[in-house]
Amino acid sequence: MTLGPIMADVAGLALTAEDREVLAHPLVGGVILFARNYSDPEQLRALCNELLAIKSPRLLIAVDHEGGRVQRFRVGFTRIPAMGTLGRLHEESGLRAVEEARQHGETIGRELAGFGIDLCFAPVLDRDCGVSTVIGDRAFAADPQLIIKLSRAFRSGLNAAGLKATGKHFPGHGAVAADSHLELPIDRRPFADIERQDLVPFKALIDDGIESLMLAHVRYCAYDEIPASFSRKWIRGLLRSQYKYNGAVFCDDLCMKGAVVVGDIVERARVAITAGCDMLPVCNDRSEVVKLLDALPVKQRRLSSARLKALYRTV
């Protein structure tokens, strides 16, 4: 049995009959949790136990849990600061900043693994170029070398706690002002600038063996007219062929406005899969999930299942 390429969500604190039916579908291989799915540790444990028991192979469970603005579970969890604070701390003490990055990764990993959660969708490898409010202090810094230094420490902490890392948002979301949740950002810089700056942290972490990446719903005109998250040129060309990346590739949420330029939900999924994405989150719109499950052939369960299974927590 293989893991399907769709990552769905659920509405509340416990599973409904419809949730179970959707998550049991052979095209669904993962589930993403949000703040609405959390009230306290006891409730989260019960929910995750339900999710883990739905099917075999089991669902991959993920949550956006970076720290700062993006931390879905708060009460009962350690409050993690925005990663940008570590970049600023590095100006005072490089050793302390690196150690805190490692500690934050280990804390996040330990706390999430204790509930059976596999991925926190971090670290953010984007640069804080001072223009993107949606990225901003979610990024470690503007300097690619500092991002590499701190993200390596963060990942080592995650790995020590048994979680795999997901670098995002390849090839870099920090140099565009538009928010891809609301519209399609367009990055008009020459590819040489992107390669010299934004791609540097991703390439370094790829060389380190980072386990997964999430693609940006951003159009980089100098490289491809289609957004990177749907681009064979970015995924099969640069990532797989040139960078020799063998980890899992996540598309960003297919319901974001930055994705709608590709077509309806079915066309988005087909294009993303053809481009080389291994898993497709479809969030906050159950009707779109159902439409997708009805339209995609079950054969879309692909060989990428092995890359997804490699993301299961190890503790």
Side-chain angles (χ1 to χ4, degrees):
M1 299 256 329
T2 58
L3 284 175
I6 306 304
M7 176 170 273
D9 60 353
V10 296
L13 301 176
L15 298 184
T16 65
E18 182 185 76
D19 289 332
R20 293 188 187 90
E21 181 180 1
V22 166
L23 297 176
H25 193 285
L27 283 171
V28 177
V31 61
I32 182 169
L33 301 177
F34 291 92
R36 65 174 181 269
N37 304 124
Y38 180 77
S39 64
D40 57 69
E42 183 178 355
Q43 170 271 325
L44 181 62
R45 189 173 306 282
L47 175 60
C48 288
N49 286 343
E50 278 194 280
L51 292 170
L52 293 169
I54 282 176
K55 64 200 303 183
S56 179
R58 68 170 180 82
L59 293 165
L60 192 70
I61 305 179
V63 61
D64 284 310
H65 204 83
E66 308 163 6
R69 288 174 286 151
V70 184
Q71 180 172 339
R72 305 305 188 201
F73 311 145
R74 295 182 180 268
V75 177
F77 277 75
T78 302
R79 295 295 290 268
I80 305 296
M83 294 297 105
T85 63
L86 298 177
R88 294 190 291 274
L89 176 61
H90 191 273
E91 298 173 5
E92 303 172 13
S93 172
L95 289 175
R96 185 179 164 199
V98 168
E99 178 56 21
E100 288 198 12
R102 188 200 64 77
Q103 289 177 358
H104 292 327
E106 187 170 356
T107 297
I108 291 171
R110 183 182 65 252
E111 292 184 348
L112 294 183
F115 294 89
I117 295 169
D118 301 291
L119 294 171
C120 63
F121 283 151
V124 171
L125 300 179
D126 303 310
R127 297 170 58 238
D128 181 6
C129 300
V131 299
S132 173
T133 57
V134 73
I135 300 299
D137 65 1
R138 295 169 63 191
F140 289 101
D143 177 9
Q145 296 304 319
L146 183 51
I147 295 171
I148 293 168
K149 186 177 183 180
L150 295 175
S151 62
R152 279 176 168 161
F154 180 91
R155 177 176 173 245
S156 73
L158 273 184
N159 290 170
L163 259 66
K164 309 303 195 312
T166 305
K168 61 186 186 185
H169 305 79
F170 182 88
H173 199 308
V176 288
D179 179 352
S180 54
H181 294 86
L182 307 175
E183 58 184 306
L184 175 64
I186 299 176
D187 191 328
R188 303 184 187 279
R189 293 175 299 160
F191 177 71
D193 290 351
I194 298 169
E195 187 175 37
R196 187 177 64 252
Q197 299 172 330
D198 301 61
L199 280 170
V200 171
F202 291 97
K203 181 61 166 60
L205 271 289
I206 287 169
D207 290 344
D208 289 348
I210 193 168
E211 299 86 358
S212 60
L213 295 174
M214 180 174 284
L215 276 288
H217 291 320
V218 178
R219 179 186 291 157
Y220 304 86
C221 297
Y223 196 74
D224 197 356
E225 281 301 310
I226 193 168
S229 44
F230 300 96
S231 168
R232 290 178 62 96
K233 191 172 181 181
W234 278 112
I235 301 171
R236 296 191 186 275
L238 190 75
L239 266 181
R240 298 295 190 198
S241 297
Q242 186 175 332
Y243 285 2
K244 308 302 181 186
Y245 175 63
N246 293 316
V249 171
F250 287 82
C251 190
D252 209 342
D253 176 14
L254 287 186
C255 291
M256 290 166 58
K257 298 300 184 184
V260 300
V261 296
V262 175
D264 66 11
I265 191 66
V266 177
E267 184 64 11
R268 286 173 235 162
R270 286 175 175 156
V271 173
I273 289 171
T274 300
C277 288
D278 298 311
M279 185 162 275
L280 319 176
V282 185
C283 308
N284 303 310
D285 193 330
R286 175 55 59 82
S287 65
E288 293 285 77
V289 174
V290 172
K291 184 187 302 183
L292 191 53
L293 297 183
D294 287 343
L296 279 183
V298 173
K299 69 179 181 181
Q300 291 289 5
R301 293 178 296 168
R302 300 161 59 248
L303 295 177
S304 62
S305 178
R307 289 193 289 262
L308 296 172
K309 288 179 183 176
L311 300 179
Y312 286 155
R313 73 190 185 284
T314 56
V315 293

